[in-house]
Amino acid sequence: MRKLGFVAFVLLLNFAIAFGQVKKPVPQKSPVPYSKSLQAVVVTPTDWASFQGTARLFSRKSAKSKWTPQGESFAVVVGRNGTAWGAGLNDLPSDTGGRLLMKTEGDGKAPAGIFSLTESFGAGAKPAYVKLPFTQLGEYTECVDDVKSSHYNRIVDRMKVGDFNWDSSEKMLAVGAEYELGIFVAHNTFPVNRGGGSCIFLHVWKDAATGTSGCTAMARENLETLLKWADAAKNPVLIQLPKDSYAQFQTKWKLPKF
């Protein structure tokens, strides 16, 4: 009888686990247009090949108001191989000086363009000051970068996903100090283009002299300031363009003025 009871318990446990799993990816929400955003993080790398740049926060009271700077600018690092055009809220330019270099998976470049900042994450419990949706990283939290997976460019809990159809991912908690706090950048998310680049975050840098695999990184104190400021109700965005291109598209895209 004890053996039968144990077997029944195991079957019930397996059923509960299977029932609690996400059988297929939840569709991404349609992004809020940049024209309705009231907060912007402006990142300007030195040029297309550089991994070093500066960032500054801007806000406005309404969609018709002028952008105003918040605080001082601060240093950031981007992709170790510079930047390339990414898929975001902006229409890709038709005139790019004769080239349209697009970001691809594993190219070591950060995406250029305008992107929603949709959610945050961290190694510990959600800080009281965070106003973005928050995911506490666990042992099985992964960002899938396998281009063949249906979960490509998504943060998932391995134990809650029914279809383990990836061979490559970032085990986010294992990254350590650089992912103790972060924000997901909605690059290549609506729709998701397989191979267009994945797992792009704002996170803590290793140091000011080391580029990333494609993310934008900064000192921890600056990321904390950014997280205290970012408000989901104000549709914050990342505007990331090398300095010369920022000047080129500032008027057309109605970007904040320095």
Side-chain angles (χ1 to χ4, degrees):
M1 292 295 294
R2 288 184 178 180
K3 184 175 181 180
L4 289 175
F6 176 75
V7 172
F9 170 76
V10 171
L11 291 174
L12 182 62
L13 179 62
N14 288 336
F15 175 79
I17 292 173
F19 185 77
Q21 288 179 333
V22 178
K23 298 302 181 182
K24 59 182 180 180
V26 177
Q28 294 280 8
K29 293 181 180 180
S30 177
V32 176
Y34 164 63
S35 61
K36 295 184 178 181
S37 177
L38 304 181
Q39 293 183 321
V41 185
V42 176
V43 171
T44 50
T46 304
D47 54 46
W48 286 92
S50 176
F51 67 81
Q52 294 179 314
T54 58
R56 196 167 189 183
L57 309 183
F58 287 82
S59 65
R60 57 183 176 180
K61 293 182 179 180
S62 73
K64 295 182 179 180
S65 302
K66 292 183 178 180
W67 289 103
T68 58
Q70 307 293 305
E72 300 297 322
S73 60
F74 53 89
V76 297
V77 294
V78 295
R80 61 178 178 273
N81 293 327
T83 51
W85 288 107
L89 298 176
N90 56 298
D91 294 326
L92 291 175
S94 57
D95 180 11
T96 57
R99 72 184 188 114
L100 188 62
L101 180 62
M102 295 294 296
K103 176 168 175 56
T104 58
E105 185 65 42
D107 62 3
K109 296 178 181 291
I114 305 174
F115 313 95
S116 292
L117 299 177
T118 55
E119 57 186 294
S120 59
F121 61 84
K126 181 180 180 179
Y129 57 78
V130 172
K131 297 182 285 294
L132 292 174
F134 184 86
T135 296
Q136 182 173 348
L137 303 181
E139 181 181 357
Y140 300 106
T141 307
E142 304 177 25
C143 189
V144 179
D145 56 15
D146 185 340
V147 299
K148 297 180 180 179
S149 172
S150 61
H151 299 282
Y152 177 65
N153 197 25
R154 294 176 183 268
I155 296 175
V156 300
D157 183 329
R158 173 178 282 269
M159 302 307 292
K160 295 181 180 179
V161 177
D163 189 3
F164 301 101
N165 60 3
W166 64 87
D167 295 321
S168 177
S169 67
E170 280 192 283
K171 281 68 174 177
M172 296 181 68
L173 187 62
V175 172
E178 293 172 56
Y179 281 8
E180 284 185 354
L181 280 175
I183 300 175
F184 182 78
V185 177
H187 160 260
N188 190 30
T189 59
F190 193 86
V192 176
N193 174 31
R194 304 286 180 90
S198 64
C199 307
I200 302 299
F201 310 126
L202 304 182
H203 65 76
V204 180
W205 66 16
K206 181 178 180 180
D207 53 57
T210 304
T212 70
S213 296
C215 296
T216 299
M218 62 202 72
R220 168 135 187 175
E221 60 266 28
N222 291 324
L223 183 58
E224 289 177 351
T225 297
L226 199 162
L227 275 165
K228 292 175 183 177
W229 165 85
D231 186 343
K234 297 181 179 180
N235 302 313
V237 296
L238 167 66
I239 302 173
Q240 187 159 258
L241 287 168
K243 290 181 179 179
D244 59 344
S245 293
Y246 192 92
Q248 180 183 355
F249 297 108
Q250 186 174 53
T251 300
K252 181 180 179 180
W253 290 351
K254 300 180 180 180
L255 304 178
K257 294 182 180 180
F258 288 95

